[in-house]
Amino acid sequence: MNLTVKKIIISIILFLNFLHSAEVQELPWPKGESFLTFLEKYSIPQKLYFDLEKEDKELCSEIVADKRFYLYTEDNGDFNQVLIPVSDDIQLHIYKESNGQFKFQTLPINYEEYTETIAVPISVSVSHDLQQATGDVTLALQLKSLFKGVVDFRKMQKGDFVALKYKKKSLLGRRLGLPELEAAMVEIRGKKYYRIKNSRDDKYYNEKGKGFTKSYFFKIPLTYKRISSVFTKKRWHPVLKRYRAHLGTDFAAPRGRKIYAAAGGKVEFKGRKGGYGNTIIINHHNGYKTLYAHQNGFKKGLKRGQRVKKGQHIGYVGTTGLSSGPHLHLGLYKNGRAVDPMKVIKRPKTNGLSGKKKATFIANAKKIISNFNDEMKSENRTQATKLNRLTYKSEVKKL
Ligand SMILES: [Zn+2]
């Protein structure tokens, strides 16, 4: 058995023991609670936090209020261990060793992931019919944003169709995060429109490989010296023998260098955010948010709730929140899920795929489309057909 597998099994056992124990509590993370105030509450030395590497300190700032975490206390109420999820993939684990020492580690979340393909004939409206068939309200929103400016969903009527392929995650029988659309088809009066995600770049194209990249239009928010830390969702480090995660891109740049909005939107947050220090979050209203951390200071006069344009000056590079050199940590969130900023920000060279990439994409698209057609023909077409159910997600990228 290799170490990675062992590690995963250990984390499952740990988690199961956890659940069967009487003292385990599943709690919503209190509003206003930071990682440090949590340590204080349970008399855990703050050194535990200050000794962490900067990427781990940043992970501690990803804790979201109201998100469920698992706390295990001893009979006398003393802290024993805690599991705090910081993304769909990674959770923080703090535990007390028998010698009384506290330890910190990041562990993968062993969720279940499966793909569903569904074809739904329109009877009332896209939103209503999709919710009836899938139990999810966000799929219709994602669908509408994919076909924005192309399909007028209000004009859909009886006899029209939508077909979707999407991925869902669940943890202990409960939904984890939002479903992710892999492919969609809309049929209006016999005319079919497609959007299919290309797994290589996470962008959507039509069945011919033509791109629709407008909504992905971000710019790099500063002139930087170098990228000092890349985005990593969950990576096993064979030398350190532990998991690493970094939910953003770090750009090294001198203190005081101007930071600009990566795209237009509304300033949703402006202030201190744990290990992220002075932070701004901009909501771009297309499911995307950007986060700018460790700022030395904000642009004078910038207010929460204010609208900003792409390229508008918002703040200055600094080192607030942690002690390493000045840099900008840029986070990019799609429907609340951290994604690699550099994958999305890159300006597309062409408005579509070409060459071998195009051929591979089209071959895959054909399979999905034929799947949709089979689904539309089936008798029971308002029922989601669960394909690849319970695809156990345990693969871990190695360095
Ligand atoms: Zn960072």
Side-chain angles (χ1 to χ4, degrees):
M1 199 191 297
N2 71 38
L3 255 173
T4 309
V5 174
K6 232 184 226 170
K7 193 94 181 175
I8 287 166
I9 288 171
I10 289 168
S11 81
I12 295 167
I13 293 167
L14 178 83
F15 198 69
L16 291 179
N17 280 341
F18 229 41
L19 287 176
H20 292 139
S21 150
E23 301 89 343
V24 112
Q25 287 174 282
E26 188 194 346
L27 301 163
W29 188 264
K31 278 201 176 69
E33 182 100 276
S34 72
F35 189 76
L36 278 175
T37 58
F38 177 86
L39 296 185
E40 211 180 321
K41 204 188 242 176
Y42 293 98
S43 311
I44 304 166
Q46 305 221 325
K47 192 178 179 300
L48 182 86
Y49 172 79
F50 292 111
D51 286 350
L52 294 179
E53 286 178 43
K54 83 176 175 67
E55 282 84 358
D56 285 341
K57 278 188 187 139
E58 289 185 339
L59 275 186
C60 297
S61 313
E62 287 284 331
I63 303 173
V64 176
D66 290 333
K67 212 164 186 185
R68 309 226 144 228
F69 71 103
Y70 298 89
L71 178 70
Y72 175 59
T73 49
E74 280 157 20
D75 291 337
N76 61 7
D78 279 2
F79 174 92
N80 181 283
Q81 51 184 309
V82 67
L83 281 171
I84 311 163
V86 285
S87 72
D88 289 356
D89 297 280
I90 284 281
Q91 55 196 337
L92 311 179
H93 182 214
I94 307 166
Y95 58 100
K96 194 177 176 179
E97 290 193 314
S98 49
N99 62 9
Q101 292 262 350
F102 292 93
K103 285 275 158 64
F104 172 101
Q105 63 176 343
T106 49
L107 286 177
I109 294 174
N110 296 286
Y111 54 78
E112 290 163 340
E113 183 174 48
Y114 45 94
T115 308
E116 293 180 352
T117 304
I118 185 170
V120 180
I122 298 306
S123 65
V124 179
S125 71
V126 172
S127 307
H128 173 271
D129 297 340
L130 269 183
Q131 194 189 341
Q132 285 289 106
T134 64
D136 188 280
V137 289
T138 62
L139 281 170
L141 294 174
Q142 290 187 50
L143 185 72
K144 285 176 182 173
S145 111
L146 262 188
F147 288 97
K148 205 175 170 188
V150 178
V151 172
D152 185 351
F153 285 92
R154 287 166 302 183
K155 288 194 176 141
M156 288 194 93
Q157 44 184 246
K158 269 199 168 151
D160 291 339
F161 257 104
V162 292
L164 305 178
K165 184 183 177 190
Y166 53 94
K167 269 188 193 162
K168 273 166 94 170
K169 287 175 184 166
S170 75
L171 181 66
L172 301 163
R174 192 183 288 151
R175 194 177 91 169
L176 181 69
L178 298 174
E180 273 184 277
L181 266 186
E182 295 291 296
M185 185 225 65
V186 175
E187 185 184 319
I188 298 189
R189 254 72 88 228
K191 187 163 168 42
K192 290 173 175 167
Y193 302 88
Y194 296 96
R195 291 292 181 272
I196 295 155
K197 188 152 100 178
N198 183 15
S199 57
R200 281 169 165 265
D201 62 9
D202 262 4
K203 291 185 169 73
Y204 293 91
Y205 298 86
N206 73 2
E207 73 281 15
K208 294 184 181 106
K210 185 180 183 300
F212 301 89
T213 48
K214 271 182 216 144
S215 64
Y216 295 93
F217 217 60
F218 291 94
K219 67 173 262 174
I220 291 177
L222 78 171
T223 44
Y224 61 94
K225 274 192 191 155
R226 62 188 179 89
I227 289 177
S228 53
S229 188
V230 297
F231 179 93
T232 319
K233 244 180 155 176
K234 178 180 71 175
R235 186 172 62 185
W236 174 247
H237 197 296
V239 179
L240 299 173
K241 296 207 178 358
R242 62 187 191 84
Y243 285 91
R244 308 284 315 257
H246 180 235
L247 302 177
T249 304
D250 286 352
F251 299 97
R255 186 193 302 265
R257 179 69 57 87
K258 282 183 181 173
I259 300 166
Y260 306 96
K266 199 169 163 184
V267 177
E268 189 177 273
F269 179 90
K270 191 197 114 186
R272 289 193 81 87
K273 192 171 163 49
Y276 279 150
N278 289 327
T279 300
I280 285 176
I281 297 174
I282 299 176
N283 188 339
H284 304 290
H285 300 297
N286 49 3
Y288 282 100
K289 288 181 186 181
T290 45
L291 176 147
Y292 311 77
H294 311 309
Q295 298 187 44
N296 201 36
F298 304 119
K299 167 89 170 70
K300 221 179 145 196
L302 189 82
K303 288 190 178 69
R304 205 177 74 105
Q306 185 183 324
R307 299 202 156 271
V308 289
K309 287 190 182 136
K310 181 165 135 187
Q312 191 173 326
H313 177 207
I314 55 168
Y316 303 91
V317 171
T319 57
T320 55
L322 46 79
S323 54
S324 73
H327 73 279
L328 168 70
H329 168 97
L330 176 71
L332 180 65
Y333 301 84
K334 185 187 176 188
N335 299 324
R337 189 176 284 148
V339 292
D340 185 351
M342 298 316 281
K343 239 183 167 180
V344 176
I345 273 178
K346 268 184 211 153
R347 187 185 287 260
K349 282 195 185 76
T350 57
N351 196 24
L353 299 167
S354 59
K356 209 178 163 190
K357 278 181 190 160
K358 186 174 177 178
T360 313
F361 174 83
I362 288 175
N364 180 46
K366 275 190 180 148
K367 273 188 219 153
I368 293 173
I369 290 169
S370 113
N371 234 328
F372 279 168
N373 288 331
D374 291 347
E375 205 56 44
M376 284 165 69
K377 272 184 250 150
S378 86
E379 302 269 313
N380 203 9
R381 57 197 171 200
T382 55
Q383 289 294 310
T385 311
K386 286 165 181 155
L387 303 171
N388 314 325
R389 209 178 147 75
L390 306 190
T391 306
Y392 183 57
K393 177 101 173 176
S394 61
E395 89 280 1
V396 174
K397 267 186 208 162
K398 291 196 178 164
L399 280 179

